[in-house]
Amino acid sequence: MSRKDNAHRNDLSRRRLLKGTALGAGALALPGIAYATAADSGPEQNKARTKAEAAALTHPGMLHSADDFARMAEKVKAGADPWNSGWKRLTANSHSAAGWTPRPAETVVRGGAGQNYHQLYHDIHAAYQNALRWKVSGDTAHADTARDILNAWSGTLKTVTGNADRFLASGIYGYQFANAAEIMRGYEGFDLARFQDMMAGVFYPVSDDFLKNHNGACVTNYWANWDLCNMAAIMAIGILNDDQAKFDQAVDYFHKGEGNGSLAHAVPFLHDGGLAQWQESGRDQGHTVMGIGLMGTVCEMALKQGTDLYGADDNRFMKACEYVAKYNNGGSVPFTKYTWGHGQNCDYREQTVISEGGRGQVRPVWERVYHHYHYRKGLETPYMSAIARKQSPEGGGGDYGSTSGGFDELGFGTLTHVLEA
């Protein structure tokens, strides 16, 4: 790591520690970017967006575009690999079966007494997988299933709550739910307006509050994943609801946010050899790989709207992907001591070695970032290339264990994100 980069990182750390919980005052503004506030977060304000703002957003325009769906259908129809192998993983997953019966709840709880959030994530993945099967195969039985799941929840859900883990629920399930709904936009019988109201009224306020206040804790207290999932939710809700201000809010936080999910804080150290250290590398590898997936999600959704976050700061995220891929595929990487402020009082904490916990854990995150950097951009990505090929074809929710961690990613990247064989 260079002396200049280290000095910059130390300056950022000092400012963040001094700031503490003052993040609630709002993020720094960039010229020409609109910001969502408590006054403009409701469904009435979403509907009041100008036609010009609505026209600026592309649909479908989250993780998948119309061209992506056309490619998937063409490759699967031809029986071409690796897409066909990815398709077989999708069709073998029980969540993708037509006729899935949803179990909507008025209140979803994650963390503390009365947890029931498993009902939500199982239904979200069933909706997404059925929507994907419809777009590839044309079978409307899957479209009807996805539509009915989405309608059931938008007609029932009123609150996402729990202990601090409620912010993980708002973020992870917020972006995933919005992606399923984006695929079903315009399908007969899908109540898009009601679903948009649910996303703006139930999920967005929780995600927005977290990025501004971090649950009353020191701004450095929460790991990068917490910020990233809520950034993803706000961006996805902005796209789904044709709300440019929310989309811009997520983009601005990526560049200038004080929390650990912004690019400079999620990737705090640059190393020689085109590698960059991930913020959670000293914690464990499961959450580190999860972070690669979430930042990849944010970057991909932004790219579909014409905003390149993948390439920010000289491909800083790519260097982190290479670092994490190399270590989790058995290679050795450098590690710079990481320090942060913990809890409400910013108590000093440090990590001096990279964690071996969860090393080599398989999560369906690599196809998306590998194919962007290597095939779209033509860059050398030896470590991403190796781990993506090793873990292909990627599955999705239900293929990586029965606990919530197995549903952190929508997955199926071999079918959806592979650009060339």
Side-chain angles (χ1 to χ4, degrees):
M1 183 187 65
S2 70
R3 182 178 301 174
K4 180 180 178 182
D5 193 62
N6 190 35
H8 175 64
R9 151 107 180 118
N10 290 338
D11 178 63
L12 286 172
S13 297
R14 283 193 294 271
R15 287 190 290 107
R16 295 163 79 208
L17 289 170
L18 287 171
K19 190 168 184 179
T21 59
L23 187 60
L28 295 175
L30 288 177
I33 289 183
Y35 290 84
T37 67
D40 68 352
S41 62
E44 292 78 17
Q45 288 73 28
N46 291 332
K47 294 173 183 176
R49 295 292 177 196
T50 67
K51 290 182 180 180
E53 286 177 320
L57 294 171
T58 300
H59 303 290
M62 291 190 205
L63 289 176
H64 318 302
S65 67
D67 287 344
D68 292 332
F69 289 127
R71 181 186 65 249
M72 295 176 218
E74 176 189 355
K75 296 296 187 181
V76 169
K77 183 177 180 180
D81 273 331
W83 300 273
N84 197 49
S85 295
W87 171 250
K88 289 178 180 178
R89 289 217 71 176
L90 173 62
T91 58
N93 192 305
S94 63
H95 291 78
S96 77
W100 179 279
T101 302
R103 294 195 297 158
E106 186 172 305
T107 299
V108 165
V109 181
R110 177 164 179 169
Q115 290 193 121
N116 64 348
Y117 67 103
H118 62 282
Q119 293 175 218
L120 178 58
Y121 68 68
H122 280 292
D123 282 358
I124 289 172
H125 284 258
Y128 173 76
Q129 291 180 28
N130 273 277
L132 203 55
R133 285 189 68 167
W134 166 57
K135 295 298 287 188
V136 174
S137 71
D139 187 343
T140 57
H142 293 288
D144 290 347
T145 297
R147 174 200 63 199
D148 293 347
I149 295 169
L150 298 174
N151 283 345
W153 277 94
S154 69
T156 305
L157 183 64
K158 292 183 171 59
T159 306
V160 172
T161 189
N163 60 21
D165 285 359
R166 70 188 182 277
F167 298 113
L168 294 174
S170 68
I172 296 170
Y173 311 135
Y175 95 77
Q176 292 179 348
F177 230 166
N179 267 273
E182 179 75 353
I183 298 174
M184 298 308 300
R185 178 185 290 270
Y187 187 73
E188 183 179 2
F190 173 44
D191 194 337
L192 175 62
R194 190 174 73 185
F195 198 90
Q196 289 172 323
D197 288 349
M198 177 189 72
M199 298 306 297
V202 176
F203 288 89
Y204 174 76
V206 184
S207 291
D208 179 57
D209 177 60
F210 182 78
L211 291 186
K212 289 177 177 176
N213 301 306
H214 288 88
N215 201 31
C218 180
V219 70
T220 59
N221 179 72
Y222 287 95
W223 303 101
N225 281 304
W226 293 69
D227 271 7
L228 282 164
C229 67
N230 285 291
M231 292 158 62
I234 289 173
M235 179 176 285
I237 293 167
I239 296 168
L240 183 72
N241 288 17
D242 284 313
D243 189 333
Q244 187 73 47
K246 288 181 174 60
F247 177 83
D248 290 341
Q249 178 187 2
V251 171
D252 179 57
Y253 198 95
F254 180 92
H255 289 300
K256 307 194 82 169
E258 289 288 332
N260 285 323
S262 60
L263 181 62
H265 301 134
V267 190
F269 304 116
L270 299 177
H271 296 285
D272 293 335
L275 302 176
Q277 190 169 313
W278 186 258
Q279 189 260 343
E280 299 189 58
S281 294
R283 179 191 183 192
D284 65 66
Q285 297 311 306
H287 286 98
T288 294
V289 175
M290 178 186 176
I292 296 297
L294 286 169
M295 186 166 279
T297 292
V298 170
C299 290
E300 187 67 25
M301 292 193 298
L303 192 67
K304 290 296 195 291
Q305 298 300 326
T307 299
D308 183 14
L309 301 182
Y310 278 116
D313 194 13
D314 192 25
N315 295 311
R316 192 180 187 99
F317 177 46
M318 181 189 77
K319 297 168 187 175
C321 291
E322 284 287 273
Y323 179 96
V324 175
K326 182 179 183 182
Y327 185 67
N328 280 274
N329 206 28
S332 60
V333 294
F335 186 85
T336 296
K337 181 171 74 173
Y338 179 75
T339 64
W340 74 99
H342 172 76
Q344 292 184 319
N345 298 317
C346 294
D347 298 328
Y348 179 84
R349 295 287 190 275
E350 67 175 36
Q351 292 166 341
T352 58
V353 296
I354 192 168
S355 173
E356 293 186 357
R359 189 177 186 183
Q361 184 177 113
V362 177
R363 286 179 179 247
V365 308
W366 295 111
E367 297 278 35
R368 179 170 53 230
V369 291
Y370 163 52
H371 279 269
H372 172 77
Y373 286 117
H374 189 69
Y375 287 107
R376 281 182 184 146
K377 305 305 293 183
L379 300 171
E380 291 301 316
T381 58
Y383 305 114
M384 274 189 278
S385 300
I387 201 166
R389 298 283 57 79
K390 182 178 180 179
Q391 297 184 7
S392 179
E394 289 180 352
D399 292 325
Y400 298 91
S402 60
T403 60
S404 61
F407 294 82
D408 286 341
E409 271 287 330
L410 288 170
F412 301 106
T414 306
L415 171 65
T416 60
H417 294 298
V418 168
L419 301 176
E420 296 185 35

